Amino acid sequence: MVSAENILGEKKLRITQSRKAVIDSFIANRHALSQPDLEKLLENSCDRVTIYRILDSFLQHGILHKVPDLEGTQKYALCDSCSDHHHHDEHLHFKCTVCGHTECLDEIPMPQINLPEGYQVDEWNMLLQGICGDCEKS
Ligand SMILES: [Zn+2]
Ligand SMILES: [Zn+2]
Ligand SMILES: [Zn+2]
C-alpha cells in the first residue's frame, strides 16, 4: 500500500502536513484531481498558494504527472515510479463523461506508434473518453 510518508521519503522531501494532505487526497480518490478539486478537498488545511507550490514541486520530483483534459483544466495524478525530472507515464487516460473523473489506465499496454524518422516523443497525451466501469453499472 502506498502512503504519503513512503512517497515523500523516497523523494527525500520533508514530510509536512500540506504535502501529506495533497498526496493523501490522490490516494483516497483514485482519479485525477485538478487544482480547484484540491482547493475544495483541502479547504480547511491548505491555501491556494501552498497547493500551487506543492503541485509544481511534485511535478518536478516525479510524484505527480499531468493528465490531459479536453476542458482545459489541468489535472494531475500520482506517478507510478517516476524519478526526478524524468517522467515515464506512458499510459492511457480515460475520462468518464458521466462522473467526469479521469483515471490512469496504467495496466494496459500502449499501442506501438511508429513515428517518421527524426521525430521524438517528449510527452504522451492519450485521452480516451466514454463511460467508466462504475457508471456503467448504475
Ligand atoms: Zn511521472
Ligand atoms: Zn464514471
Ligand atoms: Zn496517468
Side-chain angles (χ1 to χ4, degrees):
M1 202 33 209
V2 277
S3 74
E5 282 88 351
N6 284 347
I7 294 175
L8 290 168
E10 216 170 90
K11 306 289 178 193
K12 305 199 166 48
L13 290 173
R14 208 157 49 85
I15 297 169
T16 63
Q17 281 312 314
S18 345
R19 285 179 180 155
K20 201 172 141 355
V22 169
I23 296 181
D24 283 340
S25 311
F26 282 98
I27 295 175
N29 282 282
R30 281 185 52 243
H31 55 82
L33 299 170
S34 64
Q35 183 169 347
D37 291 337
L38 286 163
E39 282 167 19
K40 229 174 282 163
L41 286 165
L42 305 173
E43 190 161 51
N44 303 317
S45 52
C46 304
D47 60 55
R48 287 188 69 165
V49 182
T50 310
I51 294 174
Y52 174 81
R53 288 209 189 110
I54 291 176
L55 289 174
D56 198 51
S57 117
F58 281 4
L59 276 178
Q60 284 184 29
H61 283 93
I63 296 176
L64 293 175
H65 60 277
K66 291 182 180 172
V67 173
D69 192 287
L70 300 177
E71 274 144 49
T73 317
Q74 183 66 64
K75 290 184 175 179
Y76 306 87
L78 285 176
C79 291
D80 186 19
S81 54
C82 293
S83 48
D84 285 13
H85 303 283
H86 185 77
H87 285 272
H88 47 86
D89 305 286
E90 291 99 6
H91 53 247
L92 298 166
H93 290 105
F94 189 96
K95 177 166 182 171
C96 175
T97 48
V98 179
C99 62
H101 293 160
T102 309
E103 352 164 17
C104 299
L105 297 180
D106 39 14
E107 268 128 53
I108 300 174
M110 281 291 277
Q112 184 67 43
I113 294 168
N114 297 311
L115 289 169
E117 212 177 302
Y119 285 66
Q120 185 203 317
V121 177
D122 287 329
E123 223 178 290
W124 285 87
N125 280 313
M126 301 282 276
L127 183 67
L128 308 175
Q129 287 202 85
I131 299 174
C132 77
D134 288 339
C135 293
E136 208 247 348
K137 273 173 241 144
S138 52

